[in-house]
Amino acid sequence: MNIHKKDIIIIGCGCIGLSAGVILLKTGDYNVKIWAKDLPPNTTSNKAAALWYPFLSEPLDKVGRWSQETMDYFKKEIIPLGVEKTGTLTKKVYELYRTPRAQLPEWSPFVPSFRRMKKEEMLDGYIDGFTVEDGFVMDTDQYMDWLVESFKALGGSIDQREVVDIREPFIYADIVINCSGLGARELIGDRLVYPSRGQIIVVDNTRDISLMDEEDEYQLGYVIPRVHNSVLGGTNQQHNYNLEPSKKDTEEILDRVAKISPQFERKNLKILGEKVGLRPSRYSIRLENEFMQDGRKLLVHNYGHGGSGFTVSWGCALDTLKLVRKGADKLKTSNKSDVPWYSLLNKRRSSSSCSFVND
């Protein structure tokens, strides 16, 4: 590694970890490695519907800003590369309601193209709704492959390895970024993060507009067109760890999307497959610095994005860079002989908790 660059290890190889890695590498100031138990195509990100739209995540004011920054990044850096390379497709979004909505979403002021739907845009059975004119969707497998290629092309490296103790990567780097998603529950003992099970159906139909019915956040209905197919959804089953597709959920999803548009009645569908993923839900996205080992090591948390991982990914990555720069300036000088690797491993055997200091 270049001795003039700071070494960073990122835990997690989903869209959050890879986006953070790309932003860090683009500065030319860091050597970046990713450690992860699961790699694409076997990550939660690969199983997502991947529509740009703030969804099931908090706090809404920050989610709004991160979402707009992500949209700006896509428009400038990704969409111009072409859909065949990145799997990213511009699509208008309709969020539909069968009852009037008095209030606009808290994140809406951050998105210039957000507006209330016009009467002539309404689908049958709906009386209110919102739209984002310049939304977009990602074919997750294609987009994740592009992210991996981009990360490696910038000099990043990826190791498939499971991290069971947060102190382990600090043997090799003074700065570690925790993008472990749901894994943070065990890795750092954060019991505030929990799974929200999402099941989707992939069909061969496609259309020009993404449609969402979120009137009941636990019984979701959405149609998300991608490059070569569409995703139908979905579910939001909190604290459910089941990764196997449920026939009952499939039937209910098909019933709900048929009510959104006759185009998606069962007789018009060819089902290509089903996918299940566990959203890393939390009362609030955690994006902050913590110091370890008496201020000699920096741990940057970036997890708990719920259903908005792709939507906020680049905004959170840009803030991760800011946190790294801010935290690195505060790190105390570390002499490796002060904390030998074998000492850390001995502590790992005798203790299951870590001590953190908030920044």
Side-chain angles (χ1 to χ4, degrees):
M1 287 187 173
N2 188 328
I3 61 173
H4 300 295
K5 298 182 179 181
K6 292 183 174 67
D7 295 339
I8 294 179
I9 293 175
I10 296 174
I11 302 172
C13 198
C15 69
I16 297 297
L18 284 164
S19 300
V22 167
I23 291 297
L24 289 163
L25 287 167
K26 280 187 170 184
T27 68
D29 296 332
Y30 309 101
N31 296 304
V32 185
K33 279 189 175 183
I34 287 178
W35 290 4
K37 176 184 177 182
D38 297 315
L39 306 180
N42 300 311
T43 70
T44 298
S45 295
N46 287 88
K47 301 172 184 177
L51 163 74
W52 182 96
Y53 204 80
F55 178 63
L56 298 177
S57 59
E58 301 278 351
L60 292 178
D61 56 343
K62 291 184 178 180
V63 167
R65 175 173 64 81
W66 291 326
S67 298
Q68 182 57 46
E69 290 172 351
T70 297
M71 177 179 278
D72 291 343
Y73 190 90
F74 266 93
K75 288 180 177 179
K76 180 180 178 181
E77 303 287 345
I78 299 175
I79 292 175
L81 298 176
V83 63
E84 294 304 321
K85 186 170 186 177
T86 68
T88 304
L89 197 62
T90 302
K91 294 281 185 180
K92 183 185 290 188
V93 183
Y94 283 175
E95 183 177 9
L96 303 158
Y97 292 95
R98 300 183 188 275
T99 57
R101 309 294 288 186
Q103 294 184 331
L104 300 179
E106 290 183 47
W107 53 263
S108 61
F110 295 90
V111 183
S113 66
F114 176 92
R115 63 173 173 81
R116 193 177 291 273
M117 290 176 62
K118 300 173 184 177
K119 185 177 181 179
E120 58 268 26
E121 293 175 313
M122 289 295 167
L123 275 65
D124 290 344
Y126 294 94
I127 64 172
D128 206 351
F130 308 120
T131 183
V132 174
E133 298 280 354
D134 50 357
F136 49 89
V137 297
M138 290 135 275
D139 185 307
T140 49
D141 289 336
Q142 192 174 348
Y143 178 74
M144 290 297 291
D145 286 347
W146 173 80
L147 263 184
V148 169
E149 292 170 5
S150 299
F151 176 76
K152 290 182 176 179
L154 289 166
S157 63
I158 299 175
D159 292 343
Q160 187 166 15
R161 59 191 291 175
E162 183 177 6
V163 181
V164 297
D165 190 315
I166 193 61
R167 291 169 294 192
E168 181 183 357
F170 285 113
I171 299 169
Y172 307 95
D174 290 338
I175 302 172
V176 172
I177 302 175
N178 174 21
C179 300
S180 59
L182 185 59
R185 186 174 174 87
E186 300 301 327
L187 182 61
I188 61 168
D190 186 352
R191 295 301 187 231
L192 297 176
V193 63
Y194 60 90
S196 291
R197 181 180 177 276
Q199 180 168 321
I200 60 172
I201 305 169
V202 182
V203 299
D204 65 346
N205 300 46
T206 190
R207 56 173 293 138
D208 294 330
I209 299 173
S210 297
L211 304 173
M212 303 172 62
D213 182 338
E214 298 180 32
E215 195 109 32
D216 183 343
E217 67 175 275
Y218 300 105
Q219 299 291 323
L220 306 171
Y222 52 79
V223 177
I224 300 175
R226 303 197 294 194
V227 181
H228 304 296
N229 53 49
S230 290
V231 170
L232 311 181
T235 63
N236 178 31
Q237 298 162 348
Q238 297 182 359
H239 304 284
N240 186 332
Y241 283 87
N242 179 22
L243 285 168
E244 295 300 318
S246 160
K247 183 177 180 180
K248 178 176 180 291
D249 288 335
T250 296
E251 294 298 315
E252 291 179 353
I253 290 169
L254 291 172
D255 287 342
R256 289 196 293 273
V257 298
K259 294 176 182 178
I260 295 176
S261 170
Q263 180 182 354
F264 291 92
E265 292 179 354
R266 298 186 194 206
K267 63 183 180 181
N268 300 324
L269 299 178
K270 179 182 177 181
I271 296 177
L272 304 178
E274 301 158 294
K275 293 184 178 182
V276 176
L278 304 180
R279 302 180 187 93
S281 296
R282 197 173 184 272
Y283 78 95
S284 176
I285 293 172
R286 189 176 187 190
L287 187 52
E288 64 179 357
N289 282 348
E290 293 199 26
F291 290 93
M292 299 181 68
Q293 297 179 29
D294 298 322
R296 290 174 295 187
K297 306 287 186 178
L298 174 63
L299 177 61
V300 183
H301 293 292
N302 184 6
Y303 68 89
H305 302 83
S308 296
F310 285 93
T311 301
V312 301
S313 56
W314 294 103
C316 287
L318 292 167
D319 272 13
T320 296
L321 173 60
K322 295 175 184 176
L323 288 169
V324 167
R325 286 173 167 165
K326 178 181 177 183
D329 289 341
K330 295 181 180 180
L331 281 178
K332 297 178 182 178
T333 302
S334 177
N335 184 336
K336 289 187 177 181
S337 64
D338 291 341
V339 189
W341 65 269
Y342 53 80
S343 173
L344 291 176
L345 293 180
N346 286 336
K347 288 182 180 180
R348 177 178 164 187
R349 296 189 186 102
S350 62
S351 174
S352 60
S353 63
C354 302
S355 175
F356 300 117
V357 177
N358 284 323
D359 177 28

